[in-house]
């Protein structure tokens, strides 16, 4: 059995469990609680959407009785709080797990839940997504970082911003095409992450890192477009 307290040496990942069925809910709480995993349990779709921001989970365990359609995963990931959080489904063996996997779930646990598989899933999610700062804590643009490149040269700053925005549009277009055609977008997300890190566009960088580690989803692409738009808007306010 995995030993959560010694596998990584890092703080244990926080789990958000959304399960209506008491038997499954109590089993998950008991199995993970025994190993010390912080876990928050809710029973409705509304509660999941409400609590994901305050919980800041490293993994969401989501029952198909709560998310009664794969489209709920897109709704859940529409907000920045959950856009990068791995989601694993819990459901009956007769359910069509492929639809939820296609919607972006990383796994599908069939009832009755196999505890060993559950623990391996939680440990895998902890390794897959190291704890990161909340998105709202990240600046749109790290001006101190940018100043380190430009030494206060406003013309150079404007040129770097223009180059980043031009490159970001190319990467976003490639990610949009990958999403449309069902292809992988890891390379484009990685390139966008690097470009944003170089400029100091920290919010874009966090989202691009999450996209690099996750299957393509409309919610993640929308969040990246919004973050790039924020960089563009901030750039217009800078002195020239």
């Amino acid at each position: 059995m995995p030993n959560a307290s010694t596998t990584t040496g890092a703080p244990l990942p926080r789990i958000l469990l959304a399960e209506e069925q008491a038997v499954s809910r109590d089993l998950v709480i008991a199995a993970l609680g025994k190993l010390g995993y912080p876990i928050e349990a809710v029973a409705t779709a509304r509660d999941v959407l409400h609590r994901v921001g305050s919980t800041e989970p490293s993994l969401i365990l989501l029952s198909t009785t709560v998310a009664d359609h794969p489209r709920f995963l897109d709704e859940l990931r529409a907000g920045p709080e959950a856009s990068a959080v791995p989601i694993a489904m819990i459901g009956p063996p007769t359910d069509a797990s492929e639809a939820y996997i296609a919607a972006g779930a990383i796994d599908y646990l069939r009832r009755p839940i196999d505890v060993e598989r559950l623990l391996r899933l939680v440990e895998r999610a902890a390794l897959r997504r190291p704890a990161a700062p909340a998105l709202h804590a990240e600046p749109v643009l790290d001006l101190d970082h940018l100043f380190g490149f430009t030494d206060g040269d406003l013309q150079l700053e404007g040129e770097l911003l223009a180059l980043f925005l031009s490159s970001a549009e190319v990467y976003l277009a490639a990610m949009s095409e990958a999403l449309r055609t069902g292809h992988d977008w890891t390379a484009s997300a990685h390139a966008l992450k690097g470009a944003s890190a170089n400029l100091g566009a920290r919010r874009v960088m966090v989202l691009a890192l999450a996209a690099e580690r996750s299957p393509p989803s409309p919610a993640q692409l929308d969040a990246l477009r919004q973050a790039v738009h924020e960089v563009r808007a901030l750039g217009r306010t800078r002195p020239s």
Side-chain angles (χ1 to χ4, degrees):
M1 178 180 294
N3 185 334
S5 63
T6 61
T7 300
T8 66
L12 295 175
R14 184 177 298 276
I15 313 299
L16 178 59
L17 169 65
E19 172 62 283
E20 285 184 340
Q21 296 192 10
V23 173
S24 292
R25 184 171 63 244
D26 292 346
L27 174 64
V28 172
I29 292 173
L32 298 181
K34 185 185 298 184
L35 293 177
Y37 284 104
I39 184 166
E40 175 113 11
V42 298
T44 69
R46 180 178 180 181
D47 286 341
V48 176
L49 296 171
H50 178 69
R51 298 303 288 274
V52 68
S54 59
T55 305
E56 295 186 1
S58 296
L59 174 68
I60 298 172
L61 295 173
L62 182 62
S63 168
T64 58
T65 57
V66 173
D68 58 359
H69 195 283
R71 283 194 299 268
F72 180 75
L73 273 68
D74 285 336
E75 182 180 356
L76 180 56
R77 284 183 165 139
E81 300 90 351
S83 64
V85 181
I87 300 172
M89 305 305 299
I90 299 172
T94 56
D95 208 333
S97 60
E98 294 83 1
Y100 286 96
I101 298 298
I106 64 169
D107 206 344
Y108 187 102
L109 301 175
R110 290 174 169 81
R111 300 190 189 95
I113 295 174
D114 182 327
V115 174
E116 288 287 341
R117 183 175 175 184
L118 168 67
L119 296 177
R120 287 195 298 270
L121 166 66
V122 171
E123 187 163 283
R124 191 168 75 244
L127 294 172
R128 171 184 176 138
R129 183 179 182 267
L135 183 62
H136 59 72
E138 295 295 337
V140 173
L141 190 59
D142 185 339
L143 296 177
D144 289 337
H145 175 89
L146 184 58
F147 185 84
F149 275 98
T150 65
D151 198 27
D153 185 330
L154 295 178
Q155 180 177 346
L156 178 57
E157 178 182 309
E159 291 172 356
L160 290 174
L161 275 166
L163 178 60
F164 167 76
L165 292 170
S166 176
S167 299
E169 289 303 324
V170 172
Y171 301 140
L172 289 173
M175 294 175 73
S176 178
E177 180 65 11
L179 181 63
R180 186 185 69 81
T181 58
H183 288 85
D184 183 69
W185 69 9
T186 302
S188 297
H190 180 79
L192 179 57
K193 179 190 71 176
S196 54
N198 288 338
L199 182 72
R202 297 278 296 279
R203 197 168 296 182
V204 179
M205 182 187 70
V206 169
L207 288 167
L209 173 62
E212 183 183 7
R213 295 178 174 181
S214 305
S217 76
Q220 285 188 315
L221 184 58
D222 288 345
L224 278 165
R225 283 172 171 156
Q226 176 61 31
V228 170
H229 172 75
E230 290 170 351
V231 174
R232 181 180 290 105
L234 181 59
R236 289 172 180 154
T237 69
R238 300 288 296 154
S240 55

